[in-house]
């Protein structure tokens, strides 16, 4: 997945901004570098990546949280990886995650 292409296609960054960020990013993912530089908001970056990955972008301020479900997961995993179990569905547990590329977080949640 080419994050730069996604952010340019969604008109969140220009090609010139991408070039500048790539020159300064020092190996940091481009979306994170763009947020750090103040060029886009974290919400803009997450919404673009979520849509590209076929995920739903969730505004936690407006999302009901199942506290009983939340208590079933280790607090350390939730805080370390910035994940939040939202609701139980027929397919499993729906989880909000701040970094959709954090596979370690998903693995830890699956273990519980």
């Amino acid at each position: 997945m080419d994050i730069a292409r996604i952010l340019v296609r969604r008109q969140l960054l220009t090609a010139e901004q991408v070039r500048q960020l790539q020159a300064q990013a020092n190996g940091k993912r481009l979306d994170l570098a763009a947020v750090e530089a103040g060029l886009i908001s974290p919400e803009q970056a997450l919404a673009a990546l979520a849509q590209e990955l076929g995920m739903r972008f969730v505004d936690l301020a407006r999302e009901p949280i199942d506290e009983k479900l939340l208590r079933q997961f280790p607090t350390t995993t939730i805080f370390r990886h910035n994940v939040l179990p939202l609701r139980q569905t027929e397919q499993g547990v729906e989880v909000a995650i701040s970094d959709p590329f954090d596979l370690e977080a998903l693995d830890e949640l699956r273990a519980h």
Side-chain angles (χ1 to χ4, degrees):
M1 169 181 300
D2 186 348
I3 294 173
R5 190 172 293 145
I6 292 166
L7 296 176
V8 169
R9 185 174 62 239
R10 296 185 184 279
Q11 299 180 343
L12 295 173
L13 295 177
T14 65
E16 180 58 30
Q17 288 172 318
V18 167
R19 280 190 288 280
Q20 290 174 355
L21 284 170
Q22 287 172 330
Q24 302 165 355
N26 293 326
K28 185 177 285 189
R29 247 182 29 218
L30 190 75
D31 58 316
L32 300 177
V35 168
E36 195 173 277
L39 296 173
I40 60 176
S41 71
E43 293 81 9
Q44 288 173 308
L46 286 171
L49 293 175
Q51 190 171 26
E52 194 71 24
L53 293 167
M55 298 175 161
R56 182 170 68 96
F57 176 76
V58 176
D59 179 354
L60 291 178
R62 297 189 173 119
E63 194 70 25
I65 296 168
D66 182 341
E67 291 182 31
K68 184 178 174 184
L69 177 66
L70 181 61
R71 286 191 293 272
Q72 296 176 22
F73 291 88
T75 307
T76 54
T77 300
I78 290 170
F79 284 102
R80 181 176 46 246
H81 295 289
N82 292 316
V83 297
L84 185 63
L86 297 174
R87 69 184 58 81
Q88 181 75 46
T89 67
E90 290 180 13
Q91 292 79 27
V93 176
E94 187 175 321
V95 176
I97 186 166
S98 65
D99 182 353
F101 300 108
D102 186 354
L103 301 179
E104 181 183 336
L106 299 176
D107 287 342
E108 280 189 42
L109 288 175
R110 273 190 204 101
H112 294 283

